[in-house]
Amino acid sequence: DSPIAQNLSIWMCGTYFTGVIVGQWIVVWHLAMKDETHACLMKLIHMDALASGISLPDDSKKTWFIVNMARTFGEDIPQAFQQTLFLIYVKQNYFMIVSVAVSVASSVKALHDAVSRSSIAAGAKVTEVWPVNYRGEFIHIYFGPRKMSLTVCRESAT
């Protein structure tokens, strides 16, 4: 009913289409599919806990950074801004702004954790390194407190 709500709905559709559908589902999806560990793809589809249990090779770090930046600045922050405008000017529900602020803080914290994470899987230690083939690839086997992961890496075994 509100003209402000109608204008916001147009902007919400536009930022959703740009930040989520084009930015994440097309551009970043294409980059994430090139990641051999699929950790970037898992992060893209909001499987953060599973993605943190996978070791990230050096050639996947740039994609990891792009995925996390796209989620925060292409989806979470624009949606939070628009939700705040809706809560102030349409619904006048100031208590819900606290929820939006917590959501933004959570998104920024997730971005910080993702960007500053170690390449080795969370809670893991290297126990074995086996040569795989003539191209110099190695299998790194990581054992953690309650999980094990295998990663094929194109780096030296040391």
Side-chain angles (χ1 to χ4, degrees):
D1 295 343
S2 166
I4 295 173
Q6 291 174 357
N7 286 334
L8 275 173
S9 70
I10 293 168
W11 283 103
M12 287 178 178
C13 286
T15 56
Y16 181 81
F17 180 78
T18 305
V20 177
I21 294 174
V22 174
Q24 292 181 54
W25 293 357
I26 296 174
V27 175
V28 178
W29 180 276
H30 176 72
L31 295 172
M33 293 304 290
K34 294 179 181 180
D35 173 32
E36 295 174 359
T37 66
H38 300 294
C40 295
L41 179 62
M42 290 175 205
K43 182 73 175 179
L44 183 63
I45 58 175
H46 299 276
M47 298 174 70
D48 296 13
L50 186 58
S52 70
I54 296 176
S55 297
L56 201 61
D58 288 337
D59 58 346
S60 296
K61 287 182 182 179
K62 182 177 179 182
T63 303
W64 182 260
F65 179 77
I66 292 170
V67 166
N68 287 285
M69 293 296 283
R71 272 185 55 186
T72 300
F73 295 105
E75 178 181 2
D76 296 340
I77 301 239
Q79 285 180 3
F81 177 72
Q82 292 162 345
Q83 289 167 358
T84 302
L85 291 176
F86 180 81
L87 291 169
I88 291 171
Y89 295 111
V90 179
K91 283 292 182 185
Q92 287 86 31
N93 188 342
Y94 301 105
F95 182 73
M96 287 301 294
I97 294 174
V98 174
S99 173
V100 173
V102 169
S103 173
V104 169
S106 173
S107 178
V108 171
K109 171 78 165 87
L111 174 65
H112 174 268
D113 291 348
V115 171
S116 63
R117 78 165 264 193
S118 171
S119 294
I120 297 176
K125 62 179 182 176
V126 177
T127 58
E128 298 284 336
V129 178
W130 297 335
V132 176
N133 60 30
Y134 65 92
R135 293 181 294 182
E137 295 177 337
F138 294 88
I139 291 181
H140 291 233
I141 302 176
Y142 299 98
F143 292 96
R146 292 179 294 268
K147 61 187 164 213
M148 180 185 88
S149 68
L150 299 172
T151 304
V152 176
C153 297
R154 287 191 180 103
E155 56 187 53
S156 67
T158 57

PDB file of all heavy atoms in Angstrom, residues 129-155:
ATOM      1  N   VAL A 129      51.399 -37.949   3.575  1.00  0.00           N
ATOM      2  CA  VAL A 129      51.429 -37.302   2.265  1.00  0.00           C
ATOM      3  C   VAL A 129      51.879 -38.360   1.270  1.00  0.00           C
ATOM      4  O   VAL A 129      52.971 -38.899   1.377  1.00  0.00           O
ATOM      5  CB  VAL A 129      52.415 -36.106   2.241  1.00  0.00           C
ATOM      6  CG1 VAL A 129      52.452 -35.493   0.849  1.00  0.00           C
ATOM      7  CG2 VAL A 129      52.035 -35.076   3.274  1.00  0.00           C
ATOM      8  N   TRP A 130      51.029 -38.705   0.313  1.00  0.00           N
ATOM      9  CA  TRP A 130      51.333 -39.739  -0.666  1.00  0.00           C
ATOM     10  C   TRP A 130      51.398 -39.160  -2.061  1.00  0.00           C
ATOM     11  O   TRP A 130      50.505 -38.410  -2.461  1.00  0.00           O
ATOM     12  CB  TRP A 130      50.243 -40.815  -0.666  1.00  0.00           C
ATOM     13  CG  TRP A 130      50.100 -41.575   0.600  1.00  0.00           C
ATOM     14  CD1 TRP A 130      51.034 -41.789   1.563  1.00  0.00           C
ATOM     15  CD2 TRP A 130      48.910 -42.205   1.062  1.00  0.00           C
ATOM     16  NE1 TRP A 130      50.514 -42.535   2.582  1.00  0.00           N
ATOM     17  CE2 TRP A 130      49.209 -42.809   2.308  1.00  0.00           C
ATOM     18  CE3 TRP A 130      47.626 -42.337   0.560  1.00  0.00           C
ATOM     19  CZ2 TRP A 130      48.276 -43.520   3.031  1.00  0.00           C
ATOM     20  CZ3 TRP A 130      46.704 -43.059   1.276  1.00  0.00           C
ATOM     21  CH2 TRP A 130      47.018 -43.646   2.488  1.00  0.00           C
ATOM     22  N   PRO A 131      52.419 -39.493  -2.857  1.00  0.00           N
ATOM     23  CA  PRO A 131      52.431 -39.071  -4.256  1.00  0.00           C
ATOM     24  C   PRO A 131      51.295 -39.762  -5.012  1.00  0.00           C
ATOM     25  O   PRO A 131      51.009 -40.919  -4.770  1.00  0.00           O
ATOM     26  CB  PRO A 131      53.785 -39.531  -4.781  1.00  0.00           C
ATOM     27  CG  PRO A 131      54.462 -40.220  -3.665  1.00  0.00           C
ATOM     28  CD  PRO A 131      53.597 -40.216  -2.466  1.00  0.00           C
ATOM     29  N   VAL A 132      50.646 -39.053  -5.921  1.00  0.00           N
ATOM     30  CA  VAL A 132      49.507 -39.615  -6.634  1.00  0.00           C
ATOM     31  C   VAL A 132      49.876 -40.006  -8.059  1.00  0.00           C
ATOM     32  O   VAL A 132      49.559 -41.093  -8.501  1.00  0.00           O
ATOM     33  CB  VAL A 132      48.340 -38.601  -6.677  1.00  0.00           C
ATOM     34  CG1 VAL A 132      47.188 -39.135  -7.486  1.00  0.00           C
ATOM     35  CG2 VAL A 132      47.902 -38.265  -5.284  1.00  0.00           C
ATOM     36  N   ASN A 133      50.527 -39.105  -8.771  1.00  0.00           N
ATOM     37  CA  ASN A 133      50.819 -39.401 -10.169  1.00  0.00           C
ATOM     38  C   ASN A 133      52.076 -38.665 -10.624  1.00  0.00           C
ATOM     39  O   ASN A 133      52.701 -37.954  -9.851  1.00  0.00           O
ATOM     40  CB  ASN A 133      49.622 -39.058 -11.058  1.00  0.00           C
ATOM     41  CG  ASN A 133      49.243 -37.599 -10.974  1.00  0.00           C
ATOM     42  OD1 ASN A 133      50.088 -36.753 -10.741  1.00  0.00           O
ATOM     43  ND2 ASN A 133      47.975 -37.298 -11.161  1.00  0.00           N
ATOM     44  N   TYR A 134      52.404 -38.818 -11.888  1.00  0.00           N
ATOM     45  CA  TYR A 134      53.620 -38.238 -12.454  1.00  0.00           C
ATOM     46  C   TYR A 134      53.592 -36.722 -12.563  1.00  0.00           C
ATOM     47  O   TYR A 134      54.618 -36.108 -12.794  1.00  0.00           O
ATOM     48  CB  TYR A 134      53.887 -38.850 -13.831  1.00  0.00           C
ATOM     49  CG  TYR A 134      52.828 -38.510 -14.840  1.00  0.00           C
ATOM     50  CD1 TYR A 134      52.955 -37.393 -15.654  1.00  0.00           C
ATOM     51  CD2 TYR A 134      51.692 -39.295 -14.977  1.00  0.00           C
ATOM     52  CE1 TYR A 134      51.979 -37.068 -16.570  1.00  0.00           C
ATOM     53  CE2 TYR A 134      50.711 -38.980 -15.889  1.00  0.00           C
ATOM     54  CZ  TYR A 134      50.870 -37.865 -16.691  1.00  0.00           C
ATOM     55  OH  TYR A 134      49.895 -37.540 -17.593  1.00  0.00           O
ATOM     56  N   ARG A 135      52.426 -36.088 -12.402  1.00  0.00           N
ATOM     57  CA  ARG A 135      52.324 -34.633 -12.557  1.00  0.00           C
ATOM     58  C   ARG A 135      52.708 -33.884 -11.290  1.00  0.00           C
ATOM     59  O   ARG A 135      52.581 -32.680 -11.222  1.00  0.00           O
ATOM     60  CB  ARG A 135      50.910 -34.246 -12.967  1.00  0.00           C
ATOM     61  CG  ARG A 135      50.542 -34.730 -14.345  1.00  0.00           C
ATOM     62  CD  ARG A 135      49.159 -34.316 -14.701  1.00  0.00           C
ATOM     63  NE  ARG A 135      48.232 -35.009 -13.797  1.00  0.00           N
ATOM     64  CZ  ARG A 135      46.933 -34.916 -13.837  1.00  0.00           C
ATOM     65  NH1 ARG A 135      46.365 -34.127 -14.721  1.00  0.00           N
ATOM     66  NH2 ARG A 135      46.166 -35.573 -13.004  1.00  0.00           N
ATOM     67  N   GLY A 136      53.131 -34.579 -10.265  1.00  0.00           N
ATOM     68  CA  GLY A 136      53.543 -33.914  -9.047  1.00  0.00           C
ATOM     69  C   GLY A 136      52.410 -33.613  -8.092  1.00  0.00           C
ATOM     70  O   GLY A 136      52.538 -32.765  -7.223  1.00  0.00           O
ATOM     71  N   GLU A 137      51.275 -34.296  -8.246  1.00  0.00           N
ATOM     72  CA  GLU A 137      50.170 -34.096  -7.315  1.00  0.00           C
ATOM     73  C   GLU A 137      50.351 -35.011  -6.115  1.00  0.00           C
ATOM     74  O   GLU A 137      50.939 -36.080  -6.206  1.00  0.00           O
ATOM     75  CB  GLU A 137      48.825 -34.397  -7.990  1.00  0.00           C
ATOM     76  CG  GLU A 137      48.505 -33.440  -9.106  1.00  0.00           C
ATOM     77  CD  GLU A 137      47.207 -33.801  -9.810  1.00  0.00           C
ATOM     78  OE1 GLU A 137      46.774 -34.954  -9.760  1.00  0.00           O
ATOM     79  OE2 GLU A 137      46.652 -32.890 -10.418  1.00  0.00           O
ATOM     80  N   PHE A 138      49.846 -34.564  -4.979  1.00  0.00           N
ATOM     81  CA  PHE A 138      49.969 -35.332  -3.752  1.00  0.00           C
ATOM     82  C   PHE A 138      48.619 -35.418  -3.065  1.00  0.00           C
ATOM     83  O   PHE A 138      47.800 -34.520  -3.179  1.00  0.00           O
ATOM     84  CB  PHE A 138      50.968 -34.657  -2.794  1.00  0.00           C
ATOM     85  CG  PHE A 138      52.362 -34.652  -3.314  1.00  0.00           C
ATOM     86  CD1 PHE A 138      52.802 -33.613  -4.127  1.00  0.00           C
ATOM     87  CD2 PHE A 138      53.230 -35.680  -3.014  1.00  0.00           C
ATOM     88  CE1 PHE A 138      54.091 -33.598  -4.615  1.00  0.00           C
ATOM     89  CE2 PHE A 138      54.517 -35.670  -3.513  1.00  0.00           C
ATOM     90  CZ  PHE A 138      54.954 -34.632  -4.318  1.00  0.00           C
ATOM     91  N   ILE A 139      48.404 -36.510  -2.351  1.00  0.00           N
ATOM     92  CA  ILE A 139      47.217 -36.615  -1.505  1.00  0.00           C
ATOM     93  C   ILE A 139      47.644 -36.247  -0.096  1.00  0.00           C
ATOM     94  O   ILE A 139      48.574 -36.830   0.454  1.00  0.00           O
ATOM     95  CB  ILE A 139      46.633 -38.043  -1.494  1.00  0.00           C
ATOM     96  CG1 ILE A 139      46.027 -38.392  -2.839  1.00  0.00           C
ATOM     97  CG2 ILE A 139      45.565 -38.170  -0.414  1.00  0.00           C
ATOM     98  CD1 ILE A 139      45.423 -39.770  -2.889  1.00  0.00           C
ATOM     99  N   HIS A 140      46.983 -35.245   0.480  1.00  0.00           N
ATOM    100  CA  HIS A 140      47.196 -34.889   1.872  1.00  0.00           C
ATOM    101  C   HIS A 140      46.045 -35.487   2.669  1.00  0.00           C
ATOM    102  O   HIS A 140      44.890 -35.235   2.357  1.00  0.00           O
ATOM    103  CB  HIS A 140      47.192 -33.372   2.050  1.00  0.00           C
ATOM    104  CG  HIS A 140      48.372 -32.698   1.433  1.00  0.00           C
ATOM    105  ND1 HIS A 140      49.167 -31.840   2.128  1.00  0.00           N
ATOM    106  CD2 HIS A 140      48.900 -32.760   0.190  1.00  0.00           C
ATOM    107  CE1 HIS A 140      50.126 -31.384   1.342  1.00  0.00           C
ATOM    108  NE2 HIS A 140      49.972 -31.926   0.157  1.00  0.00           N
ATOM    109  N   ILE A 141      46.357 -36.262   3.674  1.00  0.00           N
ATOM    110  CA  ILE A 141      45.319 -36.842   4.522  1.00  0.00           C
ATOM    111  C   ILE A 141      45.372 -36.132   5.863  1.00  0.00           C
ATOM    112  O   ILE A 141      46.402 -36.110   6.526  1.00  0.00           O
ATOM    113  CB  ILE A 141      45.534 -38.356   4.724  1.00  0.00           C
ATOM    114  CG1 ILE A 141      45.562 -39.062   3.361  1.00  0.00           C
ATOM    115  CG2 ILE A 141      44.438 -38.928   5.610  1.00  0.00           C
ATOM    116  CD1 ILE A 141      45.869 -40.519   3.448  1.00  0.00           C
ATOM    117  N   TYR A 142      44.250 -35.530   6.244  1.00  0.00           N
ATOM    118  CA  TYR A 142      44.161 -34.784   7.487  1.00  0.00           C
ATOM    119  C   TYR A 142      43.221 -35.523   8.452  1.00  0.00           C
ATOM    120  O   TYR A 142      42.124 -35.906   8.070  1.00  0.00           O
ATOM    121  CB  TYR A 142      43.606 -33.378   7.240  1.00  0.00           C
ATOM    122  CG  TYR A 142      44.459 -32.555   6.326  1.00  0.00           C
ATOM    123  CD1 TYR A 142      44.149 -32.435   4.984  1.00  0.00           C
ATOM    124  CD2 TYR A 142      45.590 -31.906   6.798  1.00  0.00           C
ATOM    125  CE1 TYR A 142      44.939 -31.676   4.139  1.00  0.00           C
ATOM    126  CE2 TYR A 142      46.382 -31.153   5.966  1.00  0.00           C
ATOM    127  CZ  TYR A 142      46.051 -31.035   4.631  1.00  0.00           C
ATOM    128  OH  TYR A 142      46.834 -30.291   3.798  1.00  0.00           O
ATOM    129  N   PHE A 143      43.669 -35.705   9.662  1.00  0.00           N
ATOM    130  CA  PHE A 143      42.828 -36.290  10.689  1.00  0.00           C
ATOM    131  C   PHE A 143      42.566 -35.234  11.746  1.00  0.00           C
ATOM    132  O   PHE A 143      43.482 -34.637  12.272  1.00  0.00           O
ATOM    133  CB  PHE A 143      43.515 -37.492  11.344  1.00  0.00           C
ATOM    134  CG  PHE A 143      43.661 -38.657  10.426  1.00  0.00           C
ATOM    135  CD1 PHE A 143      44.828 -38.865   9.721  1.00  0.00           C
ATOM    136  CD2 PHE A 143      42.607 -39.541  10.256  1.00  0.00           C
ATOM    137  CE1 PHE A 143      44.970 -39.937   8.869  1.00  0.00           C
ATOM    138  CE2 PHE A 143      42.740 -40.615   9.389  1.00  0.00           C
ATOM    139  CZ  PHE A 143      43.917 -40.816   8.702  1.00  0.00           C
ATOM    140  N   GLY A 144      41.320 -35.010  12.051  1.00  0.00           N
ATOM    141  CA  GLY A 144      40.942 -34.069  13.097  1.00  0.00           C
ATOM    142  C   GLY A 144      40.283 -34.806  14.236  1.00  0.00           C
ATOM    143  O   GLY A 144      40.258 -36.034  14.255  1.00  0.00           O
ATOM    144  N   PRO A 145      39.730 -34.090  15.199  1.00  0.00           N
ATOM    145  CA  PRO A 145      39.110 -34.715  16.357  1.00  0.00           C
ATOM    146  C   PRO A 145      37.980 -35.675  15.992  1.00  0.00           C
ATOM    147  O   PRO A 145      37.862 -36.733  16.570  1.00  0.00           O
ATOM    148  CB  PRO A 145      38.568 -33.541  17.169  1.00  0.00           C
ATOM    149  CG  PRO A 145      39.240 -32.337  16.638  1.00  0.00           C
ATOM    150  CD  PRO A 145      39.703 -32.642  15.261  1.00  0.00           C
ATOM    151  N   ARG A 146      37.151 -35.310  15.007  1.00  0.00           N
ATOM    152  CA  ARG A 146      36.026 -36.167  14.654  1.00  0.00           C
ATOM    153  C   ARG A 146      35.846 -36.291  13.144  1.00  0.00           C
ATOM    154  O   ARG A 146      34.764 -36.625  12.682  1.00  0.00           O
ATOM    155  CB  ARG A 146      34.736 -35.623  15.263  1.00  0.00           C
ATOM    156  CG  ARG A 146      34.695 -35.723  16.759  1.00  0.00           C
ATOM    157  CD  ARG A 146      33.404 -35.156  17.300  1.00  0.00           C
ATOM    158  NE  ARG A 146      33.287 -33.732  17.082  1.00  0.00           N
ATOM    159  CZ  ARG A 146      33.672 -32.801  17.935  1.00  0.00           C
ATOM    160  NH1 ARG A 146      34.194 -33.140  19.079  1.00  0.00           N
ATOM    161  NH2 ARG A 146      33.536 -31.532  17.648  1.00  0.00           N
ATOM    162  N   LYS A 147      36.874 -36.016  12.379  1.00  0.00           N
ATOM    163  CA  LYS A 147      36.706 -36.064  10.930  1.00  0.00           C
ATOM    164  C   LYS A 147      38.026 -36.374  10.239  1.00  0.00           C
ATOM    165  O   LYS A 147      39.092 -36.257  10.822  1.00  0.00           O
ATOM    166  CB  LYS A 147      36.143 -34.754  10.418  1.00  0.00           C
ATOM    167  CG  LYS A 147      37.038 -33.571  10.690  1.00  0.00           C
ATOM    168  CD  LYS A 147      36.357 -32.292  10.310  1.00  0.00           C
ATOM    169  CE  LYS A 147      37.112 -31.152  10.946  1.00  0.00           C
ATOM    170  NZ  LYS A 147      36.302 -30.067  11.309  1.00  0.00           N
ATOM    171  N   MET A 148      37.917 -36.773   9.002  1.00  0.00           N
ATOM    172  CA  MET A 148      39.078 -37.020   8.168  1.00  0.00           C
ATOM    173  C   MET A 148      38.776 -36.433   6.797  1.00  0.00           C
ATOM    174  O   MET A 148      37.649 -36.513   6.327  1.00  0.00           O
ATOM    175  CB  MET A 148      39.318 -38.514   8.027  1.00  0.00           C
ATOM    176  CG  MET A 148      40.519 -38.835   7.152  1.00  0.00           C
ATOM    177  SD  MET A 148      40.712 -40.592   6.877  1.00  0.00           S
ATOM    178  CE  MET A 148      39.694 -40.786   5.443  1.00  0.00           C
ATOM    179  N   SER A 149      39.762 -35.812   6.178  1.00  0.00           N
ATOM    180  CA  SER A 149      39.543 -35.314   4.822  1.00  0.00           C
ATOM    181  C   SER A 149      40.741 -35.665   3.958  1.00  0.00           C
ATOM    182  O   SER A 149      41.867 -35.747   4.428  1.00  0.00           O
ATOM    183  CB  SER A 149      39.306 -33.805   4.824  1.00  0.00           C
ATOM    184  OG  SER A 149      40.466 -33.115   5.189  1.00  0.00           O
ATOM    185  N   LEU A 150      40.462 -35.899   2.697  1.00  0.00           N
ATOM    186  CA  LEU A 150      41.496 -36.175   1.704  1.00  0.00           C
ATOM    187  C   LEU A 150      41.500 -35.020   0.721  1.00  0.00           C
ATOM    188  O   LEU A 150      40.444 -34.590   0.268  1.00  0.00           O
ATOM    189  CB  LEU A 150      41.194 -37.466   0.948  1.00  0.00           C
ATOM    190  CG  LEU A 150      41.116 -38.738   1.767  1.00  0.00           C
ATOM    191  CD1 LEU A 150      40.627 -39.879   0.894  1.00  0.00           C
ATOM    192  CD2 LEU A 150      42.460 -39.071   2.346  1.00  0.00           C
ATOM    193  N   THR A 151      42.682 -34.532   0.372  1.00  0.00           N
ATOM    194  CA  THR A 151      42.785 -33.426  -0.566  1.00  0.00           C
ATOM    195  C   THR A 151      43.895 -33.742  -1.554  1.00  0.00           C
ATOM    196  O   THR A 151      44.999 -34.107  -1.156  1.00  0.00           O
ATOM    197  CB  THR A 151      43.119 -32.111   0.166  1.00  0.00           C
ATOM    198  OG1 THR A 151      42.139 -31.894   1.169  1.00  0.00           O
ATOM    199  CG2 THR A 151      43.121 -30.960  -0.804  1.00  0.00           C
ATOM    200  N   VAL A 152      43.609 -33.591  -2.840  1.00  0.00           N
ATOM    201  CA  VAL A 152      44.647 -33.721  -3.866  1.00  0.00           C
ATOM    202  C   VAL A 152      45.193 -32.334  -4.107  1.00  0.00           C
ATOM    203  O   VAL A 152      44.450 -31.413  -4.435  1.00  0.00           O
ATOM    204  CB  VAL A 152      44.089 -34.316  -5.172  1.00  0.00           C
ATOM    205  CG1 VAL A 152      45.167 -34.353  -6.234  1.00  0.00           C
ATOM    206  CG2 VAL A 152      43.526 -35.706  -4.925  1.00  0.00           C
ATOM    207  N   CYS A 153      46.501 -32.155  -3.904  1.00  0.00           N
ATOM    208  CA  CYS A 153      47.117 -30.832  -4.044  1.00  0.00           C
ATOM    209  C   CYS A 153      48.185 -30.870  -5.118  1.00  0.00           C
ATOM    210  O   CYS A 153      48.859 -31.874  -5.302  1.00  0.00           O
ATOM    211  CB  CYS A 153      47.753 -30.410  -2.724  1.00  0.00           C
ATOM    212  SG  CYS A 153      46.573 -30.228  -1.400  1.00  0.00           S
ATOM    213  N   ARG A 154      48.351 -29.738  -5.777  1.00  0.00           N
ATOM    214  CA  ARG A 154      49.434 -29.601  -6.759  1.00  0.00           C
ATOM    215  C   ARG A 154      50.523 -28.740  -6.130  1.00  0.00           C
ATOM    216  O   ARG A 154      50.838 -27.669  -6.602  1.00  0.00           O
ATOM    217  CB  ARG A 154      48.919 -28.932  -8.020  1.00  0.00           C
ATOM    218  CG  ARG A 154      48.058 -29.822  -8.827  1.00  0.00           C
ATOM    219  CD  ARG A 154      47.776 -29.218 -10.191  1.00  0.00           C
ATOM    220  NE  ARG A 154      46.940 -30.078 -10.951  1.00  0.00           N
ATOM    221  CZ  ARG A 154      45.656 -29.877 -11.138  1.00  0.00           C
ATOM    222  NH1 ARG A 154      45.071 -28.831 -10.626  1.00  0.00           N
ATOM    223  NH2 ARG A 154      44.952 -30.722 -11.848  1.00  0.00           N
ATOM    224  N   GLU A 155      51.070 -29.195  -5.063  1.00  0.00           N
ATOM    225  CA  GLU A 155      52.139 -28.478  -4.388  1.00  0.00           C
ATOM    226  C   GLU A 155      53.158 -29.482  -3.926  1.00  0.00           C
ATOM    227  O   GLU A 155      52.938 -30.694  -3.988  1.00  0.00           O
ATOM    228  CB  GLU A 155      51.577 -27.671  -3.214  1.00  0.00           C
ATOM    229  CG  GLU A 155      50.816 -28.519  -2.227  1.00  0.00           C
ATOM    230  CD  GLU A 155      50.126 -27.668  -1.176  1.00  0.00           C
ATOM    231  OE1 GLU A 155      49.399 -26.753  -1.526  1.00  0.00           O
ATOM    232  OE2 GLU A 155      50.333 -27.974   0.004  1.00  0.00           O
TER     233      GLU A 155
END
